[in-house]
Amino acid sequence: MEKVVSRFLRYVRIHTESDPSAPPGVLPSAAREFDLARLLVDELRELGLTDAHVDEHCYVYATLPATPGCGALPVIGLLAHMDTSPDLTGKDVNPQILHYDGGELVINRELGVVMDAEHFPELDRFLGEDLIFADGRTLLGADDKGGIAVILQALEDLIAAGTPHGTVKVAFTPDEEIGRGPLGFDIPGFGADFAYTLDGPAPNEYAYETFNAAQAQVTLTGLSVHPGSSKGLMKSALLMSMDFNALLPPLETPFHTDGREGFFHLLSLTGNVEETRMIYLIRDHDSARFAERKAVMEKAAEELRRRWGSDCIRLEITDQYPNMAKWLEDKPEIVALAVAAMRLAGVEDPVAVAIRGGTDGSQLTSKGLPCPNLPCGTQYAHGRYEFVSVQALTTCKEMVKHLVSADLVKRVMEENL
Ligand SMILES: [Zn+2]
């Protein structure tokens, strides 16, 4: 069995589901994330990365020092997250490897977990490959233990082969799936010039664009009186909420949009006549259109005040994460290096995907650590259909080896001077 696969199978068996119900300041959200962190520290030390350690918030850091003569090369960071999504349990993951020759793939007959290319079109890309699944009861956790396995195996191979490289920094983080990954990340301590998260799907897809993201909290205040004698008196906060939503563009929702189209997403609506609260997600890749979306909301609030009085609505818009593209466009060598590494790993058609979401990298980039996202092969993450192919893991591992090898880094830096 390929070493990257046996590594991967070892990591997915460790339960590291993050816990969204943990109080906001608690990091990591679940103490079990330390179980994997400690194992990874041991394995990093076995590889000779003697400074490997895990801090009190469950961030694992380690350094692979530059080989002789390569100390002047940029310091490259490699990142992956240790937690798995709380969308489906990651306890007692029992992986299996199924060869895919087309047709039906039975993950679990008893539970009716069966896949075919008609319902899961991505499957078509993996004809003839060996796919690693869980057993239909849990998620697999290739998101993002695939990334961890790929990074560690690439380092092991690189060291064994004596390939020249600059300084490589490694970090494994907790709580990415609940949006807290960057919170405790020590960017100055990490000391990388730029980094890559290994947390993407198919081996030919990379990303340096994410949404710009904000959340809007809308609080509507009404006045309740007996409906039989309320003419001119009653103000229904529930009806106001419908008014508000009707003032937003009806075809700009997640249901109606894809690619680079942004949206408003009504995430929750709770209330009664006296008070109703709505939470919206605002998303757009384009910064100008993102600003316009916020303005549309402000205008809708203004209109409601005109209809129902100045105290009827409170609108609070909070930025969540920015599109990392605006930082990375100034440093084209970072993306160029990734694309060159993909090609050397045998990927013929690298393609940039604008992520319809965020990554840990979006926040790290905005805080000063440029950090595009590279693939680790995960498909259909966060559920029982999640899989990664043996071939994809191997390709991504080769990509990481090239990504930090002195030959390629020197060539790409010179080309982008
Ligand atoms: Zn992930």
Side-chain angles (χ1 to χ4, degrees):
M1 184 183 287
E2 289 265 5
K3 271 180 155 182
V4 68
V5 176
S6 49
R7 268 187 197 283
F8 175 72
L9 297 179
R10 189 156 71 235
Y11 305 152
V12 296
R13 286 192 169 96
I14 300 171
H15 184 206
T16 58
E17 192 177 325
S18 44
D19 178 4
S21 71
V26 175
L27 196 67
S29 66
R32 58 181 164 251
E33 297 180 61
F34 276 109
D35 297 344
L36 178 58
R38 291 197 190 96
L39 173 82
L40 296 174
V41 168
D42 289 345
E43 294 195 359
L44 285 159
R45 287 195 182 145
E46 276 166 34
L47 292 181
L49 281 64
T50 49
D51 69 341
H53 66 283
V54 53
D55 74 7
E56 58 178 320
H57 294 302
C58 202
Y59 289 73
V60 174
Y61 299 104
T63 309
L64 177 64
T67 51
C70 293
L73 290 175
V75 177
I76 299 179
L78 301 172
L79 270 62
H81 65 88
M82 296 180 286
D83 65 314
T84 60
S85 166
D87 289 354
L88 183 65
T89 181
K91 190 170 185 288
D92 298 326
V93 171
N94 186 19
Q96 55 178 329
I97 303 182
L98 304 174
H99 187 74
Y100 182 56
D101 276 326
E104 226 181 44
L105 260 181
V106 180
I107 318 298
N108 186 321
R109 178 63 77 194
E110 212 175 303
L111 296 178
V113 184
V114 176
M115 289 177 96
D116 58 46
E118 189 192 334
H119 299 96
F120 296 87
E122 293 289 317
L123 264 183
D124 265 347
R125 304 166 64 166
F126 297 91
L127 263 178
E129 297 195 13
D130 303 298
L131 312 186
I132 310 174
F133 286 94
D135 63 5
R137 295 175 306 106
T138 68
L139 52 64
L140 176 63
D143 173 12
D144 187 23
K145 289 161 183 171
I148 297 174
V150 158
I151 291 171
L152 274 169
Q153 196 53 48
L155 295 185
E156 183 180 349
D157 289 3
L158 213 60
I159 295 166
T163 310
H165 56 79
T167 303
V168 181
K169 295 279 183 175
V170 178
F172 301 127
T173 60
D175 290 347
E176 189 269 354
E177 297 291 1
I178 56 171
R180 302 183 194 177
L183 287 184
F185 193 88
D186 178 8
I187 293 177
F190 190 51
D193 293 310
F194 53 88
Y196 302 90
T197 47
L198 275 292
D199 193 16
N204 67 330
E205 293 180 5
Y206 63 98
Y208 62 96
E209 270 206 80
T210 57
F211 272 144
N212 293 290
Q215 179 171 303
Q217 187 126 15
V218 184
T219 311
L220 300 146
T221 307
L223 179 76
S224 179
V225 279
H226 189 287
S229 53
S230 60
K231 188 169 185 184
L233 265 180
M234 182 195 276
K235 293 181 178 177
S236 168
L238 283 164
L239 292 181
M240 289 178 201
S241 73
M242 294 184 192
D243 265 16
F244 183 84
N245 196 67
L247 289 163
L248 303 180
L251 299 182
E252 296 180 16
T253 73
F255 180 82
H256 297 97
T257 51
D258 66 2
R260 281 167 197 277
E261 296 164 335
F263 57 71
F264 299 94
H265 173 43
L266 178 56
L267 186 67
S268 79
L269 168 65
T270 52
N272 52 32
V273 170
E274 286 269 319
E275 186 177 270
T276 295
R277 288 169 186 270
M278 297 192 284
I279 296 175
Y280 284 91
L281 302 183
I282 307 172
R283 299 289 187 262
D284 211 302
H285 290 105
D286 184 87
S287 301
R289 284 203 312 266
F290 180 58
E292 278 167 29
R293 288 186 187 284
K294 295 182 187 174
V296 165
M297 282 219 156
E298 299 285 357
K299 257 179 96 175
E302 229 8 84
E303 175 60 20
L304 250 73
R305 288 186 191 104
R306 201 182 60 78
R307 294 182 194 176
W308 295 100
S310 57
D311 296 338
C312 76
I313 181 167
R314 203 168 68 237
L315 170 65
E316 291 159 290
I317 299 178
T318 318
D319 282 330
Q320 294 175 298
Y321 56 84
N323 185 348
M324 63 169 109
K326 64 180 167 203
W327 288 275
L328 286 162
E329 276 156 9
D330 293 339
K331 295 178 176 165
E333 66 275 16
I334 298 175
V335 172
L337 177 61
V339 173
M342 291 171 98
R343 289 195 191 281
L344 286 176
V347 175
E348 285 165 10
D349 54 343
V351 48
V353 180
I355 299 180
R356 290 178 66 75
T359 67
D360 271 1
S362 16
Q363 289 190 48
L364 296 175
T365 301
S366 70
K367 290 179 182 167
L369 179 64
C371 195
N373 190 39
L374 299 183
C376 68
T378 311
Q379 299 290 333
Y380 297 111
H382 295 197
R384 58 192 86 237
Y385 297 97
E386 182 185 15
F387 72 86
V388 63
S389 84
V390 169
Q391 289 78 1
L393 279 177
T394 308
T395 302
C396 294
K397 184 254 296 178
E398 290 300 315
M399 170 191 72
V400 173
K401 283 160 65 177
H402 291 296
L403 190 68
V404 298
S405 74
D407 281 357
L408 185 66
V409 175
K410 277 182 199 159
R411 173 159 73 78
V412 172
M413 293 301 142
E414 278 164 18
E415 283 169 3
N416 285 278
L417 270 181

